Amino acid sequence: MTATATILESITVPEAEGRAIPDAATRDTIGYAPVHTVADLEAIIAAARAAQPAWNALGHAERARILHAIADDLEANSEELAAILSREQGKPLDGPNARFEVGACAAWTRNAADTVLEPEVVFEDGPARAEVHYDALGVVGAIGPWNWPMMISVWQIAPSLRMGNTVVVKPSSYTPLSVLALVEVFNRHLPDGVLTVVSGNREVGAVMASHPGLDKIMFTGSTEAGRRIVESSARNLARLTLELGGNDPGIVLPGADVSAIAENLFWGCFINTGQTCAALKRLYVHDSVYDEVVDALAGLAQAMPMGRGLDEGNLLGPLQNQSQFDIVRDLVDDARERGARIVTGGEPAGDLGPLFYRTTVVADIEDGARLVDEEQFGPAIPVIRYTDVEDAIRRANASEQGLGASVWASDTDAAVEVAKRLQAGTVWINQHGALNPAVPFGGTKQSGYGQEFGVAGLKAVAAPKVISR
């Protein structure tokens, strides 16, 4: 890479050697991603295993110093990284989108560097003492999604590097350029073999899950794909962290101040145009405030600018790929056919581009409709009326998934009591989807297992060792 070359130029390959990656909004080709094979994966894992002992030997302090230097470099290149992300994934530069995601990459990298993980004394009686120490696992395989490709990759990469592991990253085939760009900045500061991207197809990902050279698999994606990874990992007994699909419920309690919660409700549903695992996917609203909530969400949906991500001022973008567009369209059409009321949206926004779908609020809908029971992963929220809080809790818990949930109320003590009864890895009060790099995050039920972030996240990519004396 020359001094004047861009990051995008440094990560793309000639057309004859790669796979065309389209702009999510326009479908024009951004560039060509390398197409790695299983043979490439074998060589990459071998290099990662060879590099791991020396990387681990540097110690925590030196690895933390390097991670801080990487975070500085991410911030220095934030505009170009955000532009690549915006084009490939579709999310706008502004709002809680592309610039926000790149900033989160730097923040989570710094947190991984600064989080303290000391040996834990678990027993002490006179001269007898037992401590738990945390060592590197070896090589971590990180398989990421297309919705937050940079940020979620950092969730996997940064703690793994901090603990002395080397990492092999497999990005989604929809968004490889974003992850290649991220890793290019990381690798300005890392020894060869410590962090490598394998940009391949599903076959490459399947081989990763069962590869004997990987000691840990971290995966964010669908529940179906997570099950396949669990099955494959039985061959090598790799440790697993799985953050899988979610159908997150929200419950608005009677007496809620709708004007105070409306904007947080909206972004809980529609951040990243609804393409977020822990977005609010079904909203149960008490009859006393139902119409007010529906009207508030519809007003915000109609006012929120949607369009091409690189155009300043837009806050919502397209669906990232045709498959996801089809899912959203089909679920909304099914709701309409069942007699649900489409308050706003409910149709493609073809004037904006081929994969844009108007921000949609659906009212007068019940459990059993596909839009309620299935994860839409897009800009459509079903709003379900209830009259009894006990019934709302039961319906919220009826899903097989349990990633996140939220309770919305003026009485926060009452909200906490409801939150304690919801079956989810995280329950938010008067917000939804807000994450903190120091606070553990993970799912329950069929939304996966294992936790990320903070001390829990470091432990998840480490091998506990008990020393007794």
Side-chain angles (χ1 to χ4, degrees):
M1 179 178 177
T2 67
T4 57
T6 67
I7 295 174
L8 184 60
E9 290 170 337
S10 74
I11 62 173
T12 52
V13 298
E15 179 178 355
E17 300 175 17
R19 182 171 59 87
I21 304 299
D23 183 302
T26 67
R27 312 314 290 171
D28 296 332
T29 297
I30 303 169
Y32 296 87
V35 181
H36 294 129
T37 65
V38 172
D40 295 322
L41 174 66
E42 295 289 350
I44 287 168
I45 292 176
R49 295 209 72 83
Q52 194 272 330
W55 173 248
N56 189 38
L58 290 179
H60 286 294
E62 177 61 9
R63 291 194 297 271
R65 184 195 67 77
I66 292 171
L67 288 174
H68 272 288
I70 290 168
D72 290 342
D73 212 352
L74 291 172
E75 291 170 342
N77 290 275
S78 60
E79 278 300 297
E80 185 178 359
L81 291 171
I84 294 169
L85 174 63
S86 180
R87 294 185 67 192
E88 183 180 50
Q89 200 283 328
K91 64 186 65 178
L93 292 171
D94 292 340
N97 291 299
R99 290 180 176 127
F100 168 85
E101 182 168 347
V102 174
C105 290
W108 257 266
T109 299
R110 293 193 195 283
N111 182 264
D114 293 340
T115 298
V116 176
L117 179 57
E118 298 286 358
E120 301 170 8
V121 177
V122 294
F123 177 80
E124 193 166 18
D125 184 9
R129 180 184 176 94
E131 298 175 343
V132 181
H133 294 247
Y134 293 91
D135 296 340
L137 281 168
V139 183
V140 173
I143 305 174
W146 52 259
N147 59 330
W148 295 88
M150 287 184 176
M151 184 175 71
I152 291 177
S153 291
V154 166
W155 293 355
Q156 300 168 333
I157 292 167
S160 297
L161 294 180
R162 157 65 200 284
M163 293 307 297
N165 304 292
T166 52
V167 184
V168 177
V169 182
K170 164 66 173 68
S172 166
S173 59
Y174 288 120
T175 53
L177 298 181
S178 297
V179 178
L180 285 161
L182 175 79
V183 171
E184 195 279 331
V185 175
F186 266 73
N187 276 336
R188 296 173 182 177
H189 306 269
L190 297 171
D192 290 345
V194 170
L195 176 62
T196 314
V197 178
V198 55
S199 174
N201 56 23
R202 288 186 178 181
E203 181 186 7
V204 171
V207 171
M208 280 184 69
S210 60
H211 199 287
L214 296 179
D215 303 285
K216 169 89 182 188
I217 298 291
M218 304 185 76
F219 173 75
T220 297
S222 70
T223 298
E224 180 184 355
R227 289 193 186 100
R228 293 196 296 268
I229 286 175
V230 172
E231 292 170 359
S232 296
S233 70
R235 301 174 190 173
N236 62 354
L237 293 180
R239 281 76 170 164
L240 298 177
T241 295
L242 303 175
E243 197 260 87
L244 308 178
N247 194 7
D248 290 17
I251 299 177
V252 180
L253 297 182
D257 183 346
V258 176
S259 63
I261 64 174
E263 190 166 346
N264 279 354
L265 263 177
F266 178 87
W267 286 115
C269 301
F270 296 112
I271 187 170
N272 194 25
T273 317
Q275 299 166 110
T276 298
C277 298
L280 205 168
K281 307 284 175 57
R282 50 199 172 107
L283 182 61
Y284 296 91
V285 181
H286 190 265
D287 181 69
S288 62
V289 290
Y290 184 85
D291 291 336
E292 190 178 357
V293 167
V294 168
D295 290 345
L297 287 175
L300 287 166
Q302 291 162 1
M304 208 61 66
M306 173 182 282
R308 183 169 178 259
L310 294 185
D311 294 340
E312 299 280 353
N314 288 325
L315 296 178
L316 298 169
L319 277 302
Q320 200 282 327
N321 56 78
Q322 185 69 52
S323 176
Q324 199 57 47
F325 177 91
D326 292 344
I327 289 170
V328 173
R329 181 194 57 202
D330 291 350
L331 291 178
V332 174
D333 287 350
D334 179 78
R336 181 186 288 110
E337 291 168 4
R338 291 171 180 267
R341 176 165 56 101
I342 310 299
V343 183
T344 190
E347 61 183 4
D351 54 314
L352 299 177
L355 296 185
F356 285 87
Y357 196 93
R358 300 198 189 282
T359 313
T360 301
V361 177
V362 180
D364 302 335
I365 189 170
E366 294 294 334
D367 297 275
R370 291 180 59 207
L371 183 60
V372 179
D373 293 357
E374 300 177 23
E375 182 181 22
Q376 68 274 51
F377 216 70
I381 185 67
V383 188
I384 306 108
R385 189 189 305 264
Y386 78 89
T387 57
D388 179 71
V389 174
E390 292 295 321
D391 180 55
I393 294 170
R394 179 190 61 78
R395 294 159 81 180
N397 287 337
S399 173
E400 293 180 341
Q401 296 173 312
L403 186 56
S406 55
V407 186
W408 306 77
S410 297
D411 183 342
T412 55
D413 290 337
V416 168
E417 290 307 307
V418 173
K420 290 176 181 178
R421 299 175 58 193
L422 294 177
Q423 298 167 0
T426 299
V427 183
W428 292 276
I429 307 296
N430 291 331
Q431 57 181 335
H432 194 110
L435 299 177
N436 183 321
V439 177
F441 176 70
T444 62
K445 300 198 283 189
Q446 293 190 23
S447 290
Y449 48 78
Q451 289 186 315
E452 299 175 271
F453 310 166
V455 173
L458 294 184
K459 289 181 179 180
V461 290
K465 177 192 295 179
V466 177
I467 299 178
S468 294
R469 59 188 182 189

